[in-house]
Amino acid sequence: MIRKARKEDAGAIAAIYNYYVTHTATTFETELVSEEEMRERIIRISTEYPYFVYEKDRFIVGYSYATLWKKRKAYSHTVESTVYVSPGHTHEGIGTALMHRLTDALRQMHIHAIIACITIPNDESIALHEKLGFTKASHFRQVGWKFERWLDVGDWQLVFENP
């Protein structure tokens, strides 16, 4: 079941995210995020943009949300998307379901473009986004330093045609 995130979901969301902080280069964040900080992020983001969780057997096993891509007014119809799935629940279609729900909500908001910033390599995330129609728009070499190595990132973009 996919539903809107609530501030009470902060602990479960932080647990999923903190796995990626400590074990992967998927996020460039290097410090664990507290439940309180995650609660503040959920409240801040969900006041303007969609923020969803995926519940399975009453446990949150994934989440997705969108945020403003850049602050200048001309970018107001472009967002950056984020999706994370609990490590024990990958390859179950949860990320795909969350992204479908997110893109549908963004389309209804008349968002024009979605940007997904992906650490390279990350074949699973790239495959997910390309399956949904995202195409590679950029590649930045050695822009992040984590786990004692330089990391690349790429942007994948989905553009909605005007109604």
Side-chain angles (χ1 to χ4, degrees):
M1 174 182 92
I2 298 175
R3 62 167 173 79
K4 290 183 178 181
R6 301 185 292 254
K7 63 183 178 179
E8 296 82 17
D9 301 326
I13 292 171
I16 293 169
Y17 185 64
N18 284 333
Y19 169 85
Y20 289 94
V21 170
T22 59
H23 294 95
T24 77
T26 302
T27 173
F28 282 5
E29 203 146 12
T30 58
E31 300 292 325
L32 295 177
V33 176
S34 70
E35 183 175 343
E36 181 57 35
E37 170 62 21
M38 190 59 74
R39 183 176 295 108
E40 291 172 11
R41 291 180 187 188
I42 293 166
I43 293 167
R44 183 176 62 248
I45 293 166
S46 64
T47 59
E48 293 187 60
Y49 296 101
Y51 200 132
F52 297 109
V53 296
Y54 190 109
E55 279 188 335
K56 183 175 183 180
D57 300 324
R58 298 183 355 189
F59 292 98
I60 293 172
V61 295
Y63 65 96
S64 65
Y65 64 87
T67 57
L68 185 63
W69 185 53
K70 294 191 179 230
K71 290 185 181 185
R72 292 195 174 105
K73 182 68 174 164
Y75 293 118
S76 65
H77 295 283
T78 301
V79 297
E80 182 174 352
S81 63
T82 297
V83 60
Y84 284 97
V85 176
S86 178
H89 293 279
T90 59
H91 306 290
E92 295 178 11
I94 293 168
T96 300
L98 283 163
M99 284 301 294
H100 275 300
R101 181 71 177 269
L102 183 65
T103 56
D104 288 347
L106 293 169
R107 187 178 281 117
Q108 290 175 11
M109 291 176 63
H110 304 290
I111 293 299
H112 183 68
I114 305 172
I115 308 295
C117 183
I118 302 172
T119 304
I120 298 171
N122 187 337
D123 295 340
E124 292 177 357
S125 186
I126 292 168
L128 166 67
H129 286 86
E130 289 181 350
K131 176 173 64 173
L132 297 170
F134 284 72
T135 57
K136 190 172 184 181
S138 69
H139 187 125
F140 299 98
R141 293 179 23 84
Q142 300 181 7
V143 294
W145 177 258
K146 189 172 180 181
F147 302 133
E148 303 301 317
R149 63 185 170 127
W150 287 108
L151 299 162
D152 295 1
V153 296
D155 288 327
W156 272 255
Q157 180 180 23
L158 179 65
V159 177
F160 298 127
E161 297 303 319
N162 290 331

